[in-house]
Amino acid sequence: MNNPPSTSGGGPSGSRPAVLRWLETAELVVGALLLMMIFALMLIQAGQRYVPVESWAWVGELARFGLVWLAFSLVGYLVGRDEHITLKLIDFVARGWAMRVVWIFANLVIAATCGLLVVAAADLVFTAGPQATPVMGIPMAWTYVIPMVGLGLAVLRALANAALLPGPPAPENLPPAQTDHEESTR
């Protein structure tokens, strides 16, 4: 028997270029590593409360930076899969070429916005003064590198969406609509 191709994301699994699939995997790996780092640091921070030793202040600081880095490192992944925060009002009305126009316009707006944020982050990275983080002493310019790269990847993913993909991905396995005779779960 022939199995139909899976339709996750922007269509069949082979419909996106291999470079985008590799980039998506790399973004997920970085996000997973940052999430594990945050989890480990939070466990260390919680465990220090019950151990009679001097606590490490850098653990909390690094966890806070890790949370920001996690958000910005995954922004390209979310844009590439159309899983970022959006208003899907037009998606319910527009069909065909109108939907394609809206898809391209939305991705160009995302690319322009993220591009301006990349410029701002690059300014912070390359023209930052001698300021350092309070506890670890890391130069503040270094802390802006991951957001700059993440937003740069979001620009690339938005442009790839506008140029390469025919439209937003079809919703996968939406929950069935609730009927009047069913009780809502609380």
Side-chain angles (χ1 to χ4, degrees):
M1 289 174 69
N2 291 337
N3 292 331
S6 66
T7 57
S8 65
S13 60
S15 67
R16 291 177 301 155
V19 174
L20 290 179
R21 290 192 308 265
W22 280 98
L23 181 60
E24 187 174 279
T25 302
E27 289 167 337
L28 276 178
V29 167
V30 168
L33 291 173
L34 285 169
L35 190 61
M36 288 189 309
M37 179 191 81
I38 293 168
F39 181 70
L41 291 171
M42 296 306 292
L43 283 178
I44 291 169
Q45 196 173 25
Q48 287 177 347
R49 293 181 182 149
Y50 302 104
V51 180
V53 295
E54 187 177 337
S55 64
W56 300 327
W58 61 269
V59 172
E61 185 177 80
L62 187 57
R64 282 190 300 275
F65 280 124
L67 187 60
V68 173
W69 294 336
L70 175 67
F72 282 105
S73 68
L74 289 177
V75 72
Y77 173 81
L78 295 173
V79 167
R81 295 183 52 91
D82 196 35
E83 293 177 354
H84 53 94
I85 297 173
T86 59
L87 293 174
K88 299 282 186 180
L89 300 174
I90 298 175
D91 294 0
F92 295 118
V93 178
R95 298 284 179 249
W97 66 270
M99 185 63 192
R100 176 74 178 139
V101 168
V102 169
W103 172 255
I104 290 172
F105 177 73
N107 278 291
L108 291 178
V109 168
I110 291 168
T113 304
C114 289
L116 291 173
L117 291 171
V118 167
V119 170
D123 184 46
L124 291 171
V125 168
F126 297 115
T127 61
Q131 187 178 9
T133 60
V135 178
M136 294 184 298
I138 297 173
M140 286 302 289
W142 293 5
T143 63
Y144 299 118
V145 170
I146 292 176
M148 182 182 68
V149 171
L151 289 165
L153 291 174
V155 170
L156 294 176
R157 298 292 295 267
L159 293 175
N161 280 352
L164 302 175
L165 297 180
E172 300 173 346
N173 304 329
L174 289 176
Q178 185 175 350
T179 59
D180 290 337
H181 67 277
E182 295 176 352
E183 283 188 35
S184 63
T185 57
R186 293 182 188 222

